[in-house]
Amino acid sequence: MAFNEHVRQMAEIKFPAYGSLYFADIQIESALKQPYTPGYVIGPNCTTTYWDCNVGRIRYYGFTEPNRGPWVDLAAYHCGLVDAGLSRLPPNSATLDERPSHHGSVEGHIRLLDLGRNIGSELIKLPQIQNAAEDPTIITGFIGWQSSSNEPAFMYAYSVPGFATPILAVSSEDDIESSEGRRARVNSELCCQAFDAGMKGLVPTLRAARALDDDLIRFFLHCHRTWEDGAVVFRDGIFEILKYWEHLGLAKPCPYPLPTDEELRVHQDAKENHEATLSLKEQVMSVLHTPPDGWVPTDCWDATKEAHDNAFNLLLQTIQSDRSSSEQELRLHWPFDIPTSNSPHLSLI
């Protein structure tokens, strides 16, 4: 509960804008500074969502200018998210890595993000989205334990610190859970329950965020990640919002047309392909014991690389034998480096 109390104190801090905390004498343009307290200002958001600092995740800015804040209200904050999504789209003339068809074209992503910008402008008017009902320009911020930025509470609705993350039970009948493993799992479940109860009791803004409809949360979490996650994820969220537009309390009637039966059929096919890709990635991660980004400790590199190549070649032999797919399709859906690729997705640390 001591951790929850610290979070409660941070959640009660009020900021003049969304962004990150800087010393007042930071050498940036004065227009990018929002006065806070003596000696400090709120400036551009410093997280990797808005900066070109991740390996393999280039920012092109061919369809928008950099928009890193600070943002004085939810409308400006949402525009920053959409612009972050647009910044990841490569120019049409660029030579792109081959991607599965369900990922979507650059033009398709632009249309989707433009629609998302319009829909988001309606969503932020909902009372349950507003962070401070009396004065929406004074934000009840929630500082994440992994960054120094303050953002709307709903952006942290699914965030859980490592010690409060439950350990999954052994699922295979061939594996027997040890007494030590069982004890660790029970302890993790208790930490998870204590953290959740503490957040609900001590941090009203986070409690309200966790009570939001999942479709609303997913909309904001994915609108800046369409090029990374694929268009199908964000499109699915938009379709759900359009479907339940009036149920969510939005202005009647819905100003945007519902998808046609043919559009829903195409989307469902793309969604199933996307889920199959995610399933493959999870299985490969499990075999290799790697995180989603594929980073591998130096002392495990040789063994991991060998296991990775063996897994790819084994699956390739399988699909060639039963003719369930093609080598090209496998290469398109494979989550990490393939033996003949030079891409950086499986990397040393």
Side-chain angles (χ1 to χ4, degrees), residues 337-345:
D337 274 356
I338 49 180
T340 59
S341 173
N342 293 318
S343 62
H345 295 150

Side-chain angles (χ1 to χ4, degrees), residues 14-22 28 30-36 41-51 59 61 64-85 87 117 124 130-131 135-141 147-152 154-156 220 223-224:
K14 295 187 176 182
F15 298 97
Y18 297 111
S20 292
L21 189 66
Y22 294 82
I28 59 175
S30 58
L32 298 178
K33 297 180 181 180
Q34 286 288 326
Y36 180 42
V41 296
I42 300 297
N45 189 298
C46 65
T47 62
T48 57
T49 298
Y50 304 96
W51 297 87
R59 305 287 174 146
Y61 299 107
T64 186
E65 296 293 325
N67 182 359
R68 306 178 180 116
W71 307 284
V72 297
D73 55 27
L74 279 172
Y77 174 83
H78 172 248
C79 284
L81 287 175
V82 174
D83 288 339
S87 73
R117 191 190 298 273
I124 62 176
Q130 294 290 333
N131 278 344
D135 187 353
T137 64
I138 298 178
I139 289 105
T140 304
S147 71
S148 60
S149 63
N150 63 289
E151 300 183 52
F154 56 74
M155 296 300 287
Y156 296 92
F220 290 101
C223 65
H224 65 92

Side-chain angles (χ1 to χ4, degrees), residues 158-208:
Y158 296 147
S159 296
V160 177
F163 70 84
T165 302
I167 299 175
L168 298 179
V170 174
S171 58
S172 174
E173 296 180 357
D174 297 330
D175 296 325
I176 300 176
E177 187 177 37
S178 66
S179 58
E180 183 178 343
R182 188 181 306 108
R183 184 162 52 251
R185 178 169 55 82
V186 171
N187 288 339
S188 73
E189 291 174 354
L190 292 174
C191 287
C192 178
Q193 294 170 11
F195 173 79
D196 186 61
M199 291 297 97
K200 290 179 179 178
L202 297 175
V203 189
T205 51
L206 192 58
R207 180 176 67 245

Side-chain angles (χ1 to χ4, degrees), residues 192-253:
C192 178
Q193 294 170 11
F195 173 79
D196 186 61
M199 291 297 97
K200 290 179 179 178
L202 297 175
V203 189
T205 51
L206 192 58
R207 180 176 67 245
R210 291 187 169 190
L212 282 174
D213 187 281
D214 285 345
D215 291 325
L216 295 177
I217 297 175
R218 286 197 302 139
F219 177 87
F220 290 101
L221 289 180
H222 289 287
C223 65
H224 65 92
R225 295 174 52 91
T226 65
W227 193 251
E228 183 174 344
D229 297 338
V232 65
V233 180
F234 190 47
R235 187 190 304 115
D236 191 62
I238 286 181
F239 282 180
E240 288 299 306
I241 287 174
L242 294 179
K243 181 179 178 181
Y244 296 105
W245 186 270
E246 295 185 6
H247 174 75
L248 292 171
L250 293 162
K252 304 176 183 179

Side-chain angles (χ1 to χ4, degrees), residues 275-289:
E275 291 172 349
T277 300
L278 289 182
S279 177
L280 173 62
K281 183 171 185 176
E282 291 174 356
Q283 293 177 47
V284 175
M285 287 166 49
S286 176
V287 170
L288 302 181
H289 304 290

